[in-house]
Amino acid sequence: MAKRSGGLRFQPSGGERKAQVPTGKKQRLEIDRLAHDGRGIAFVDGRTWFVEGALPGEQVEARVLNARAQIVEARGERILTPSPRRRTEPCRHARVCGGCTLQHASEEDQLALKQRTLAEQLQRVAGLEPEHWAAPLTGPAFGYRRRARVAVRWDAAAGRLDVGFRAGSSQTIIAVEECPVLVQPLQTILLALPQALAGLDKPQAIGHVELFSGTDEAVLVRHTAPLGEADLDRLAGFCAAQGAQLWLQGSAEPQPHDPSRGLGYRLAHWGLELHWRPGDFIQVNEAVNEAMVAQALDWLAPQEGERVLDLFCGLGNFSLPLARAGARVTGVEGVEAMVQRARTNAEHNRLEDVHFYQADLSKALADAPWARGGFPAVVLDPPRDGALEMVKQMASLGARRVVYVSCNPATLARDAAELSRQGYRLVRAGMMDMFPQTAHVEAMALFEKPGV
């Protein structure tokens, strides 16, 4: 998109500038296909429309949310001619809640969209296609999410506390009576939460609430002002009634109300239990996470005693199963607190041949003492912006096999192009449906370079 200029505006040579499409305008559209983010695409008068809640082949009446240049963002408000592939959303809030964007599409069509997104990004950005496509990793379509953030806002004019999830493309808070994507214990807590918060003496002090489920349930209350003893007692009583831990967070790190209770999650296949705290990153989908770890180990195929490097290792989600499988593992993470928790998790699970280090993962690693000798196998699970600086170092680290776990196909494709330039082959790739009912794509790719 061209940069805006604060100076003179010139009329294009092709004629007069088109009038901007006003926000709120209604437009009848015929949907051509789906964009990577799950919105329907339509074309009218030289403009491309991206329409929430629409499927290919449908005629819809859409309301404009935003328009700029030749791009119009809209929400489908009436389905005039529905697709035969449309289904009734299982959740009554799906059309207004911003959490799930694809409940109107079948699980089969959701998987097809995500597979196409991954393939198109690899081809368009890197010019690559894997030698073998892996079957998608899937789990339950509902009742899978073990972590959720609940929006809370005090409405001073109405004298009420709004509790729920954000509406799509809006800051409006939608009060919800169900959330079928949550694991069952969190569904129960969510439904009871608004009444519990509304009963506080100072509900306006609540910033937001996060819900967690693992070896125990937990409720993290983020507060913007100190809470009185009576409100603390009410929150503790609510959590006790729900069988959940209470955690509190003001301006510092989250703290447990009862420090004697532990919180963690299990990797049952390897007999592992990982401790964690609210604020730490964990995968929200237990079933797909376990399948993902199993696939990574299968693709990496570490030999007994082989040196394996786990970059962006976090709490040890890959490191500890690799160590349990007999590899000599070095885990590296940018955040020192996570390194310490990973070490604690290794000790808790009685794993000795795994070591964790803190490092700046945007800089060279080969000179670090723990990197001497290189690593035949590397697994990395970076954030959305990818790991370009790390993949530039794969050959210098001696990596023959690289498993790249990605939450963003665009940066995976960019980094795959760099690995290809170093002589690595894209041997396998596949998507992982970590977030059913959304267009979010997780992926895994295996790169090999014989004879490094």
Side-chain angles (χ1 to χ4, degrees):
M1 185 173 68
K3 293 182 179 179
R4 292 185 177 181
S5 170
L8 296 174
R9 299 173 68 184
F10 297 94
Q11 179 175 307
S13 60
E16 294 184 0
R17 183 186 299 273
K18 288 184 180 180
Q20 189 60 276
V21 180
T23 299
K25 172 185 169 63
K26 291 185 178 181
Q27 176 74 43
R28 289 196 172 199
L29 300 167
E30 188 162 330
I31 305 302
D32 182 72
R33 60 181 185 271
L34 288 184
H36 289 167
D37 62 6
R39 292 181 295 177
I41 296 178
F43 303 97
V44 176
D45 295 334
R47 290 188 171 95
T48 302
W49 291 63
F50 293 89
V51 185
E52 297 175 7
L55 293 175
E58 292 186 331
Q59 291 185 347
V60 304
E61 184 178 78
R63 183 184 295 273
V64 175
L65 301 174
N66 182 44
R68 61 190 187 280
Q70 304 303 105
I71 302 297
V72 182
E73 297 177 331
R75 178 186 297 120
E77 294 201 337
R78 282 203 303 150
I79 308 300
L80 306 175
T81 306
S83 164
R85 302 191 69 81
R86 173 175 287 274
R87 68 174 180 182
T88 301
E89 296 89 339
C91 175
R92 73 186 79 175
H93 306 294
R95 296 193 182 187
V96 290
C97 177
C100 293
T101 57
L102 282 178
Q103 282 198 23
H104 56 290
S106 68
E107 274 74 43
E108 179 185 4
D109 287 349
Q110 291 182 37
L111 292 176
L113 170 65
K114 296 173 186 183
Q115 178 66 37
R116 185 169 70 250
T117 296
L118 175 60
E120 288 178 353
Q121 289 284 6
L122 287 170
Q123 181 58 52
R124 182 179 64 83
V125 177
L128 294 174
E129 182 175 349
E131 295 173 15
H132 305 283
W133 279 109
L137 295 185
T138 61
F142 291 92
Y144 69 85
R145 192 178 181 101
R146 58 182 174 183
R147 182 173 185 171
R149 177 167 172 158
V150 183
V152 178
R153 182 175 59 218
W154 174 253
D155 187 332
R160 72 167 187 268
L161 191 70
D162 294 328
V163 181
F165 296 124
R166 301 282 182 188
S169 306
S170 171
Q171 292 299 305
T172 301
I173 296 177
I174 305 298
V176 295
E177 298 175 6
E178 64 177 358
C179 183
V181 297
L182 295 182
V183 295
Q184 188 57 56
L186 297 191
Q187 293 189 40
T188 302
I189 295 173
L190 176 65
L191 295 186
L193 183 64
Q195 183 176 355
L197 296 180
L200 300 178
D201 290 338
K202 200 174 180 180
Q204 59 269 37
I206 306 302
H208 68 262
V209 175
E210 294 184 49
L211 310 179
F212 308 90
S213 182
T215 54
D216 202 356
E217 276 63 59
V219 176
L220 170 65
V221 178
R222 173 76 170 89
H223 53 91
T224 58
L227 298 174
E229 287 300 320
D231 280 351
L232 288 173
D233 288 343
R234 291 186 181 99
L235 289 170
F238 167 74
C239 288
Q242 298 295 326
Q245 299 180 26
L246 172 63
W247 286 67
L248 300 163
Q249 184 178 18
S251 58
E253 293 295 309
Q255 297 297 325
H257 189 253
D258 179 1
S260 67
R261 296 177 66 178
L263 185 62
Y265 71 94
R266 295 187 178 91
L267 290 169
H269 180 78
W270 298 274
L272 297 168
E273 181 175 298
L274 281 69
H275 296 302
W276 64 286
R277 296 167 61 91
D280 295 345
F281 173 78
I282 64 166
Q283 297 287 0
V284 303
N285 190 320
E286 180 180 13
V288 175
N289 181 60
E290 189 140 337
M292 174 182 73
V293 174
Q295 180 170 274
L297 267 64
D298 178 55
W299 288 11
L300 208 60
Q303 303 300 306
E304 185 78 24
E306 187 175 32
R307 284 168 56 85
V308 178
L309 177 62
D310 180 10
L311 296 171
F312 307 91
C313 67
L315 299 167
N317 193 54
F318 292 101
S319 300
L320 302 188
L322 282 163
R324 183 74 90 205
R328 297 166 55 204
V329 184
T330 297
V332 185
E333 173 59 53
V335 180
E336 180 62 33
M338 296 292 279
V339 172
Q340 294 300 328
R341 282 199 269 286
R343 289 171 178 164
T344 299
N345 284 330
E347 293 171 3
H348 173 72
N349 289 281
R350 299 181 180 179
L351 293 170
E352 297 181 355
D353 212 355
V354 53
H355 304 281
F356 295 96
Y357 301 93
Q358 188 277 333
D360 184 342
L361 292 174
S362 66
K363 297 182 179 178
L365 302 178
D367 293 335
W370 45 261
R372 292 170 186 163
F375 301 91
V378 176
V379 59
L380 63 161
D381 184 8
R384 287 190 61 79
D385 55 1
L388 184 58
E389 293 307 312
M390 289 297 98
V391 298
K392 287 179 179 178
Q393 303 175 52
M394 287 299 106
S396 64
L397 289 169
R400 294 195 297 272
R401 308 184 308 285
V402 178
V403 167
Y404 190 129
V405 179
S406 170
C407 60
N408 184 352
T411 52
L412 168 61
R414 178 203 65 196
D415 295 350
E418 169 59 30
L419 287 166
S420 179
R421 282 191 287 272
Q422 295 181 46
Y424 289 89
R425 297 161 36 233
L426 177 54
V427 178
R428 296 181 189 172
M431 56 82 52
M432 304 177 292
D433 198 18
M434 192 71 73
F435 297 88
Q437 318 313 323
T438 79
H440 184 85
V441 182
E442 301 259 340
M444 184 182 296
L446 170 65
F447 299 87
E448 292 184 356
K449 186 178 184 182
V452 173

